[in-house]
Structures are given as C-alpha cells and as structure tokens.
Amino acid sequence: MKFSVTVTLKKDVLDPQGKVVENTLVNMGMNNLKSIRQGKHFEIEVDENDQKNAEKKVDEMCKKLLVNLIIEDYKINKI
Amino acid sequence: MKFSVTVTLKKDVLDPQGKVVENTLVNMGMNNLKSIRQGKHFEIEVDENDQKNAEKKVDEMCKKLLVNLIIEDYKINKI
C-alpha cells in the first residue's frame, strides 16, 4: 500500500529556502510570481493490507521522524 | 492563483537521502516499511487570472530552476 506525505512549514514560520528560490525566480524575470514556499514530499510503501492500519503506521512514522510538529504540518494521501 | 508542484526523483535514480530515512525507520522498529523515497514540494502563488497562462508560468519556473529534468520528474496541481 502506497502513500504520499506532504510536509509543509506552518503558515507563520519563515521559509528562508523558499525566499531564496523566490528571489532567484524574480531575478530571472518571473515578475508575476507572488509567493513560493518549499516543503518535503515522501512516497512511502507499507507492507500492510488493511488501509486503516497502514495509515496508522505512516502517521506514526511522520510523528516520530519525518515531521517536526512544532514548525511543520503534514498531510497523508493514499496513492 | 495557487499551484502545488511535486518534484520526485525518477524511478531508476538512487535516493540516498530516502535510504537513510528508511534505515532509520526500520531501526526504530517499523518492520513493515517496504520503501520510502524523498522529494520536494513547492507551493507557488502566481499573480495571473487565466489558468492556462498561470500554469504555463509555473511550468516555466519548474523547467528553468526548480526541477533537474535529467534526474527528476514533476507534477503541477492547481490548489
């Protein structure tokens, strides 16, 4: 069973990496760029037949390692 | 107009960062993890009313800066 996890910085957390990308794009002439924020993306395959259990496993992985819950949000999707 | 861009490594490209995450999760006791691959995620806001044009702009940003087309794939979604 395969899941995609998207990890983004919370709204009020500064994103210096995204800012650099934004400035670079503006300098390249992309003048109608309003904002850009960068996050992480994981594709996780779990050896589990029950979707509920599999999702619980993925959620546990996020909470324990992949996501810093203080500054980041995450979203799990089945793919 | 807001878009999300997901950048992933192509299937046959090694993902050392993802491998480290995988090993760490297995060492933490997640024994039914089959595989994990890491990618990038961007949230891009473009100042443009026409969706076609906006998508073209985002596609251009991907091709020119955000994505290394030799080793990476990308997907654009409107959000």
Side-chain angles (χ1 to χ4, degrees), chain B residues 45-75:
Chain B
E45 209 176 336
V46 180
D47 198 8
E48 177 84 61
N49 293 321
D50 182 58
Q51 185 170 346
K52 268 253 173 78
N53 277 344
E55 251 184 84
K56 235 169 79 183
K57 276 276 166 212
V58 173
D59 193 66
E60 204 185 329
M61 291 176 197
C62 289
K63 290 212 169 100
K64 284 196 177 160
L65 183 73
L66 306 178
V67 183
N68 179 348
L69 291 168
I70 301 169
I71 56 166
E72 291 172 329
D73 287 324
Y74 67 103
K75 220 165 43 189

Side-chain angles (χ1 to χ4, degrees), chain B residues 4-18:
Chain B
S4 86
V5 177
T6 305
V7 182
T8 49
L9 283 166
K10 286 187 179 167
K11 209 167 50 64
D12 296 324
V13 177
L14 286 177
D15 175 16
Q17 201 178 358

Side-chain angles (χ1 to χ4, degrees), chain A residues 1-2 6-8 20-21 24-25 28-48 57 60-61 64-66, chain B residues 1-2 6-8 20-21 24-25 28-48 57 60-61 64-66:
Chain A
M1 206 160 266
K2 228 170 163 181
T6 305
V7 182
T8 49
V20 170
V21 174
T24 309
L25 283 169
M28 285 166 77
M30 305 285 178
N31 36 28
N32 38 16
L33 172 66
K34 229 169 160 181
S35 82
I36 183 166
R37 284 176 80 81
Q38 188 166 358
K40 286 178 287 183
H41 177 262
F42 297 98
E43 265 174 43
I44 303 177
E45 208 177 336
V46 180
D47 197 8
E48 179 84 60
K57 275 276 166 211
E60 204 185 330
M61 290 177 198
K64 283 196 177 160
L65 182 74
L66 305 178
Chain B
M1 206 163 268
K2 229 172 163 179
T6 305
V7 182
T8 49
V20 170
V21 174
T24 309
L25 283 169
M28 285 166 77
M30 304 285 178
N31 36 28
N32 37 16
L33 173 66
K34 230 171 162 179
S35 82
I36 183 164
R37 283 176 80 80
Q38 188 167 356
K40 285 179 287 184
H41 177 261
F42 296 98
E43 266 174 41
I44 304 177
E45 209 176 336
V46 180
D47 198 8
E48 177 84 61
K57 276 276 166 212
E60 204 185 329
M61 291 176 197
K64 284 196 177 160
L65 183 73
L66 306 178

Side-chain angles (χ1 to χ4, degrees), chain A residues 44-77:
Chain A
I44 303 177
E45 208 177 336
V46 180
D47 197 8
E48 179 84 60
N49 293 320
D50 182 59
Q51 185 171 345
K52 267 251 173 77
N53 277 344
E55 249 184 88
K56 234 169 82 182
K57 275 276 166 211
V58 174
D59 193 67
E60 204 185 330
M61 290 177 198
C62 290
K63 289 210 171 102
K64 283 196 177 160
L65 182 74
L66 305 178
V67 183
N68 179 347
L69 291 167
I70 301 169
I71 56 167
E72 291 171 329
D73 287 324
Y74 68 103
K75 220 165 42 190
I76 299 172
N77 286 104

